[in-house]
Amino acid sequence: MYLLGYDIGSSSVKVSLIEASSGKIIASDFSPKKEMKIIANQPGWAEQNPSDWWINLKLANESVMQQSRVDAEDIKAIGITWQMHGLILVDKDQNLLRPSIIWCDSRAVSYGEKAFQQIGTEKCLSHLLNSPGNFTASKLAWVKENEPEVFDKIDKIMLPGDYIAMKLSGQTGITIEGLSEGIFWDFKNQCISEDVTNFYGIPKSFFPEIVPSFGIQAEVSAQAAVELGLKAGTPISYRAGDQPNNAMSLNVFNPGEIASTAGTSGVVYGVLDQLDYDPKSRVNTFAHVNYTEELTRLGVLLCINGTGILNSWLKHNFATSLSSYGDMNELASLSPIGSKGISIIPFGNGAERVLENQETDCSIHGINFNIHSKGDILRAAQESIVFSYEYGMNIMREMGMDIKVIKAGNANMFLSSIFRQTLSSVSNAVIELYDTDGSVGAARGAGIGIGFYANSDEAFASLEKIAIIEPETEKREQYIEAYTHWMRHLQAAL
């Protein structure tokens, strides 16, 4: 028996097939091999064509099926995870009406700020647990005002994973977790927010049927089965946004547990058991994967847009003579803690929530032509990303979160010893690295959704811890000094 997981990212679509009983990865692949295009027709805009996600899902799925040689009859469930906060619009025939406005698009900031003030800051925070900000609801308000001909044709609004589920099944649906990440969910009244829909003028008919995060949500249609080489009727039994899913992938379900990722954007995500929020919405509170009306499980999410994208930008524009990220890490390791005084403000990928939706852009400070080299800049980039995490984690600590252990997948920037050691030492937290990723987690979630696993502990019994990173206590003063130096430059930029 096998389980299939789909991860719809902004860089690529990843597909993993696991054996249900052992949790072993049978096959995995991603597409495209180069990063997917992000359309930016104006500064601060970011769009992708959802049909590209579907094309790349089919390519990666085909590769996985060929690698594994598994009979489609033996695949018993599918799980889906996705880049959060994207807006997908379809008409009554399920045709796309426009490209998706994705997570790092900043065009709707002013719409969210206006809603925050006019609905009322206290009411937004106590009911939505966030400002409407630059999230999905505000993006839809932008479409209504700027593209009324598109708005008039809308039959359903969805998040990226809902679109993939629709392509798989022909049915539309949305989860409470998805509604909450779009800032459509009223946590106090346990319903789609009347305040948001009334203020923005969003008809309730736009929302698909609410489906559970875990459970039979839909089944693979005959058409999709032919396209993907799957069995018609295979249940889709789990879906969640990428950060709740990444936490779930690390067996983070309970209050006080912390997960982190460091891909294109970076996240620290902690679980709460009571309604709480940051008064300035610098970190955001959403429904976690195991949230129900009876069980309060919320995810506090710190998101840094300028994370792996900074490292990628340096590789393609600055460190072009180096063939891999490993080579970059090796060169950076020759620079000491603090990068000889260089500080980088890494916020060059749209409005940053942690900075109250300001766009400060990326800047480099302190270069001396006589003493600094390429390696110093490469190390400063990694340190600056960690320092932006620490800046946000201090906000989480103000909310009462005790960050002692951070769980992460052994991927992306966590592959860098500089990154993970700096994070451990600055935050004074132990980092546990695991052999998992979002697509594998989605597959395990699918197993929970069909009841193959009795509980989360059983689902993650085979999760392999591959490394533990302890703070460098004897050098912590050097890390704190570098962080303090970085903070002075950030404060000057704000």
Side-chain angles (χ1 to χ4, degrees):
M1 174 178 168
Y2 301 91
L3 304 166
L4 197 55
Y6 295 144
D7 184 355
I8 315 304
S10 50
S11 297
S12 64
V13 176
K14 187 168 186 181
V15 177
S16 290
L17 183 71
I18 70 169
E19 185 181 48
S21 58
S22 67
K24 180 182 177 182
I25 301 170
I26 303 302
S28 185
D29 204 352
F30 66 95
S31 181
K33 300 308 179 187
K34 292 185 177 180
E35 294 178 357
M36 270 191 293
K37 182 180 180 181
I38 293 178
I39 306 161
N41 291 326
Q42 293 190 35
W45 287 24
E47 299 182 352
Q48 286 185 320
N49 192 332
S51 62
D52 290 341
W53 305 336
W54 181 244
I55 290 167
N56 284 296
L57 183 148
K58 289 195 290 185
L59 290 170
N61 188 84
E62 181 182 18
S63 173
V64 164
M65 296 299 286
Q66 288 178 349
Q67 288 177 52
S68 67
R69 305 292 183 184
V70 164
D71 192 320
E73 291 272 346
D74 295 327
I75 297 174
K76 299 302 182 183
I78 297 170
I80 304 168
T81 184
W82 64 86
Q83 47 173 302
M84 294 173 73
H85 315 305
L87 174 66
I88 290 88
L89 308 173
V90 299
D91 65 16
K92 59 183 177 59
D93 297 316
Q94 298 186 350
N95 296 313
L96 287 165
L97 292 172
R98 68 174 327 282
S100 172
I101 303 175
I102 65 171
W103 59 276
C104 55
D105 187 289
S106 305
R107 77 185 71 182
V109 169
S110 62
Y111 292 79
E113 289 175 347
K114 184 177 180 181
F116 194 36
Q117 297 303 318
Q118 295 197 15
I119 294 173
T121 57
E122 192 282 329
K123 191 166 192 182
C124 283
L125 292 171
S126 61
H127 285 255
L128 308 173
L129 308 184
N130 300 282
S131 158
N134 190 41
F135 296 110
T136 316
S138 301
K139 292 168 182 171
L140 180 58
W142 182 93
V143 172
K144 182 182 180 185
E145 182 171 307
N146 294 275
E147 298 176 350
E149 72 286 354
V150 171
F151 191 86
D152 289 344
K153 295 176 183 176
I154 296 172
D155 180 63
K156 292 292 181 286
I157 62 174
M158 289 176 282
L159 297 158
D162 304 321
Y163 172 78
I164 294 300
M166 182 194 76
K167 293 293 289 183
L168 285 167
S169 66
Q171 300 175 35
T172 58
I174 195 167
T175 62
I176 291 176
E177 183 276 317
L179 289 164
S180 78
E181 73 174 68
I183 316 298
F184 292 116
W185 188 251
D186 184 326
F187 283 90
K188 278 198 171 180
N189 294 320
Q190 297 287 343
C191 63
I192 292 172
S193 171
E194 298 277 353
D195 294 313
V196 170
T197 54
N198 289 341
F199 181 80
Y200 283 146
I202 301 170
K204 289 287 185 65
S205 63
F206 280 10
F207 296 95
E209 177 188 358
I210 296 176
V211 296
S213 291
F214 297 100
I216 308 300
Q217 303 168 350
E219 295 180 345
V220 173
S221 67
Q223 179 180 335
V226 171
E227 288 189 66
L228 291 162
L230 299 177
K231 179 188 175 185
T234 303
I236 301 160
S237 56
Y238 167 77
R239 74 178 89 168
D242 55 6
Q243 298 311 327
N245 176 75
N246 285 332
M248 190 272 295
S249 304
L250 294 158
N251 198 20
V252 169
F253 284 87
N254 301 311
E257 295 177 339
I258 306 286
S260 182
T261 60
T264 302
S265 64
V267 163
V268 179
Y269 184 100
V271 181
L272 283 178
D273 60 356
Q274 57 187 350
L275 299 185
D276 202 358
Y277 51 84
D278 170 42
K280 297 180 180 180
S281 280
R282 296 165 296 176
V283 298
N284 302 105
T285 306
F286 304 115
H288 192 32
V289 293
N290 54 339
Y291 172 91
T292 64
E293 294 183 23
E294 296 76 30
L295 182 70
T296 301
R297 290 292 182 268
L298 305 172
V300 178
L301 187 152
L302 159 68
C303 181
I304 306 295
N305 287 355
T307 303
I309 194 169
L310 169 58
N311 218 31
S312 174
W313 187 91
L314 287 171
K315 182 177 185 295
H316 293 107
N317 295 279
F318 175 72
T320 54
S321 62
L322 302 176
S323 60
S324 68
Y325 289 111
D327 291 340
M328 290 170 61
N329 295 338
E330 186 175 344
L331 186 58
S333 70
L334 301 177
S335 182
I337 297 168
S339 307
K340 299 179 188 174
I342 295 178
S343 291
I344 298 179
I345 304 303
F347 306 121
N349 192 30
E352 290 283 358
R353 280 176 253 158
V354 75
L355 303 180
E356 299 178 58
N357 284 322
Q358 292 189 62
E359 291 189 63
T360 64
D361 296 325
C362 181
S363 55
I364 304 177
H365 304 267
I367 292 179
N368 183 306
F369 301 135
N370 298 309
I371 66 172
H372 290 126
S373 67
K374 186 179 294 184
D376 298 319
I377 294 175
L378 294 177
R379 182 179 183 110
Q382 295 199 35
E383 288 183 335
S384 75
I385 295 164
V386 170
F387 296 158
S388 65
Y389 276 41
E390 177 65 9
Y391 178 81
M393 286 191 290
N394 280 328
I395 299 168
M396 297 173 74
R397 293 181 183 106
E398 291 170 9
M399 294 175 65
M401 304 201 77
D402 189 9
I403 303 174
K404 291 182 177 178
V405 177
I406 299 172
K407 296 183 178 182
N410 189 39
N412 300 315
M413 295 204 69
F414 277 99
L415 294 170
S416 166
S417 59
I418 293 172
F419 179 84
R420 60 198 189 210
Q421 188 61 69
T422 303
L423 179 59
S424 176
S425 299
V426 168
S427 66
N428 204 30
V430 174
I431 295 175
E432 297 179 353
L433 293 182
Y434 291 85
D435 185 18
T436 189
D437 65 25
S439 60
V440 173
R444 292 181 191 262
I448 297 172
I450 59 169
F452 177 79
Y453 302 118
N455 51 47
S456 59
D457 287 338
E458 184 176 309
F460 292 93
S462 61
L463 184 62
E464 182 184 359
K465 186 189 298 183
I466 58 177
I468 297 175
I469 295 90
E470 304 269 359
E472 288 188 306
T473 307
E474 71 283 359
K475 297 180 181 179
R476 188 159 190 264
E477 188 174 329
Q478 296 176 54
Y479 287 106
I480 296 302
E481 182 180 347
Y483 172 66
T484 303
H485 182 72
W486 178 86
M487 275 293 298
R488 286 196 289 269
H489 289 293
L490 175 63
Q491 289 165 350
L494 297 179

